[in-house]
Amino acid sequence: MRSFHKVLAVLMVINLFSLSTPVFADDSTADIEKRLNDLEAQVADLKQELWKQKQEKAKNPEQAVVTANSKDGFSIKSPDGNYKLQIGGYTQVEAREFADNKKNLGYGSSIIPRRVRLIIQGTVARDFDFFFQPEFGYNNTYSSITATAPTAYAVALQDAWVDWKYFPQATIKAGKFKTPFDLENLQDTRYTDFTEIGLTGNLSPQRDVGAELTGDLFDGIVNYAGGIFDGAADHENAYGGFATAPGDTNEKAGVGRIFVKPFKDTSIDPLKGLGVGYAASYGKVKGTDIPNYVSPGQAPVFSYNTGVTAAGPQIRTEPQAYYYYKSLGLLAEKVNSQEELEYTGGGHVYRDKPTNRAWEVTSSYVLTGENASYNGVTPNHDFDLSSGHFGAFELVARYSQLSMDSSIFSENFANLNTSVSDEKAWATGINWYLNHNVKMAFGFEQTKFRRGAVNGPSTEDRKTENLFTTTVQVGF
């Protein structure tokens, strides 16, 4: 269409030029008429060609682009890219084996579908993205600290959000999604070094309902996120501060995070993969929305006494950092969580603001030479015995610690006979990436506890947890 208009415009200019040119003696009226007739014939031919092009386009309109590959799953998008639908998901089947199982409260060794998630995402009208992720796997929640097995299978909504990305430096996201706080928790679960995140996850909100403003500045050197959320308790992955009993009056919580990669665009290769950040949250909580904490084997190891409730502000902070260079990866973070609590006993109201702390360091090294990254490992060669390729292998190790404020026990907010005051865990493992879609993870984690002797006399510490895990992950 544009080419036709251009040609037509040129012909009109020629036509006008011809008419405005003085008629010399040797130019007869017949010559001028012939020239005009030729121009009219050319215009008619162009109109005919344009009509043919329109007819051809009507018969063969632009087709939607349909793809299916290891990276994007199954997707369909409009020719202009303004509309897109992508369907994917992943399954993690985990085998848990507790060594010396009789000393671990009877927590059974088992094979469970740890995560079974369908992912539906896409774009609408170019500037709006959506993401929907239900969970069909094993519910890891225990009903109480003395329970010996998680509750039954249940369908849960992990994520459901939409964002407006008109300005790349300031995207608005709303719905249910991961709270912009804990560095390891913000990783896609398919790419974490271990199937379960470290002990810092006990003091961090996992997901919440709310809205945030997020974006990248200075070509990705600075990433920020901040928003208002319903208010999730430590370790909570449900619907935030949704009232669970009469009298629960959670106010909204503010959460913010900034992460900087200062050497990203420099020529200093060993420092390009360094990132440092800081996250903080603040909200007021009143009622029974208080946390329980778990071991790496997901066994409940701490709970507040009956009658203890949240009664005021909760403040969390987390300095965080990672470093990736070639095959080496490091991740570190430290969480402080202070929450005002109260209970009534003997006609008196007891109130305090204990601060619980947790920290971890995780390291990884890719034995087969691929680059380590925050977003996982992609093998240089997929597993194929006929070609002599075995995929990628990665060694991983982690040390983490959770320490409860001593005032919690001295002031009877929790009982040392049933709840631990400290847990220290070290873990090691090897991850085998057969290709972009299939991963196998083999790990061992030992956790030592102080007190919390629900599996022994009250004067003893809880028995050490020795956990072997094998996880098979398939995603697309």
Side-chain angles (χ1 to χ4, degrees):
M1 185 70 177
R2 291 181 179 177
S3 59
F4 169 74
H5 288 157
K6 290 179 180 178
V7 174
L8 183 59
V10 171
L11 292 175
M12 292 178 64
V13 170
I14 295 173
N15 186 18
L16 291 172
F17 179 77
S18 301
L19 294 174
S20 62
T21 303
V23 180
F24 296 98
D26 57 347
D27 287 334
S28 64
T29 303
D31 292 335
I32 295 174
E33 290 179 352
K34 182 178 181 302
R35 213 178 306 174
L36 290 174
N37 291 335
D38 290 342
L39 290 173
E40 289 176 355
Q42 293 178 42
V43 171
D45 290 341
L46 288 172
K47 287 182 177 180
Q48 181 67 19
E49 180 62 28
L50 179 62
W51 181 83
K52 290 181 179 179
Q53 290 179 7
K54 287 183 177 179
Q55 292 296 107
E56 188 67 24
K57 188 173 182 179
K59 294 179 182 178
N60 301 288
E62 291 184 274
Q63 299 295 317
V65 180
V66 180
T67 59
N69 56 55
S70 63
K71 182 180 179 182
D72 300 321
F74 303 95
S75 66
I76 180 171
K77 66 179 180 179
S78 62
D80 58 8
N82 289 342
Y83 293 85
K84 182 178 180 180
L85 176 64
Q86 183 177 334
I87 299 175
Y90 65 100
T91 296
Q92 293 177 343
V93 178
E94 180 184 10
R96 294 176 182 170
E97 178 69 32
F98 291 93
D100 199 6
N101 192 52
K102 292 181 180 179
K103 294 182 180 179
N104 283 282
L105 267 180
Y107 292 112
S109 300
S110 57
I111 300 176
I112 59 173
R114 178 64 180 90
R115 297 177 178 93
V116 182
R117 297 178 180 178
L118 174 68
I119 299 174
I120 301 174
Q121 60 185 317
T123 301
V124 176
R126 188 190 66 182
D127 299 327
F128 298 88
D129 287 347
F130 63 89
F131 188 94
F132 178 75
Q133 181 177 230
E135 170 70 84
F136 302 95
Y138 203 63
N139 188 333
N140 235 23
T141 303
Y142 289 76
S143 59
S144 70
I145 194 170
T146 58
T148 59
T151 52
Y153 291 88
V155 177
L157 183 63
Q158 290 292 96
D159 299 275
W161 52 260
V162 60
D163 67 26
W164 183 26
K165 57 178 183 178
Y166 186 83
F167 299 104
Q169 298 83 8
T171 295
I172 299 174
K173 176 184 287 189
K176 184 190 178 188
F177 49 91
K178 287 186 176 183
T179 309
F181 187 82
D182 184 78
L183 182 60
E184 187 183 27
N185 181 59
L186 287 171
Q187 275 187 293
D188 190 310
T189 312
R190 290 169 287 185
Y191 307 140
T192 54
D193 290 328
F194 293 90
T195 304
E196 305 294 345
I197 63 176
L199 294 177
T200 55
N202 276 307
L203 302 186
S204 307
Q206 304 297 297
R207 285 175 170 83
D208 205 348
V209 180
E212 73 174 17
L213 183 68
T214 182
D216 291 319
L217 305 175
F218 310 113
D219 295 325
I221 293 177
V222 177
N223 173 266
Y224 73 92
I228 302 298
F229 295 86
D230 207 22
D234 292 349
H235 197 236
E236 190 168 28
N237 196 32
Y239 280 96
F242 180 79
T244 56
D248 285 1
T249 56
N250 287 9
E251 296 183 8
K252 299 297 179 280
V255 185
R257 174 180 179 266
I258 186 167
F259 199 79
V260 181
K261 292 179 278 187
F263 302 98
K264 175 179 177 290
D265 293 333
T266 70
S267 59
I268 310 174
D269 288 340
L271 295 179
K272 285 184 176 180
L274 174 66
V276 294
Y278 190 84
S281 72
Y282 176 86
K284 289 186 177 180
V285 187
K286 183 178 180 180
T288 60
D289 192 20
I290 54 177
N292 297 317
Y293 301 137
V294 300
S295 72
Q298 304 306 293
V301 297
F302 175 91
S303 65
Y304 288 100
N305 291 334
T306 301
V308 175
T309 61
Q314 181 176 32
I315 302 172
R316 302 185 190 94
T317 60
E318 181 183 290
Q320 53 190 236
Y322 67 49
Y323 175 73
Y324 295 97
Y325 179 61
K326 296 184 178 180
S327 298
L328 175 66
L330 295 170
L331 183 149
E333 54 191 354
K334 183 180 186 296
V335 186
N336 292 335
S337 178
Q338 181 189 78
E339 182 171 16
E340 187 166 344
L341 303 171
E342 73 173 21
Y343 74 95
T344 302
H348 299 282
V349 176
Y350 297 89
R351 186 186 295 252
D352 200 357
K353 297 180 180 179
T355 300
N356 301 321
R357 297 175 173 84
W359 64 273
E360 73 158 289
V361 176
T362 303
S363 64
S364 63
Y365 189 82
V366 187
L367 299 173
T368 44
E370 288 85 353
N371 289 331
S373 81
Y374 185 69
N375 296 314
V377 175
T378 300
N380 290 333
H381 304 284
D382 292 348
F383 177 83
D384 185 359
L385 287 179
S386 62
S387 302
H389 297 143
F390 296 90
F393 292 89
E394 176 188 38
L395 284 178
V396 293
R398 179 175 68 197
Y399 186 87
S400 57
Q401 180 175 354
L402 170 65
S403 299
M404 309 301 297
D405 194 315
S406 60
S407 66
I408 289 176
F409 303 100
S410 63
E411 298 179 15
N412 295 320
F413 288 101
N415 187 345
L416 275 172
N417 291 337
T418 56
S419 291
V420 303
S421 61
D422 182 275
E423 56 179 314
K424 300 175 181 178
W426 66 267
T428 186
I430 185 167
N431 296 327
W432 180 17
Y433 300 85
L434 283 77
N435 51 51
H436 185 78
N437 302 95
V438 181
K439 171 185 174 182
M440 298 186 68
F442 308 90
F444 171 78
E445 190 154 15
Q446 182 182 89
T447 309
K448 293 186 176 182
F449 308 94
R450 289 184 58 196
R451 301 303 296 269
V454 291
N455 53 359
S458 60
T459 57
E460 293 184 2
D461 292 338
R462 184 186 182 94
K463 299 301 182 183
T464 297
E465 179 182 277
N466 294 295
L467 175 67
F468 293 90
T469 57
T470 300
T471 305
V472 179
Q473 172 181 295
V474 179
F476 61 93

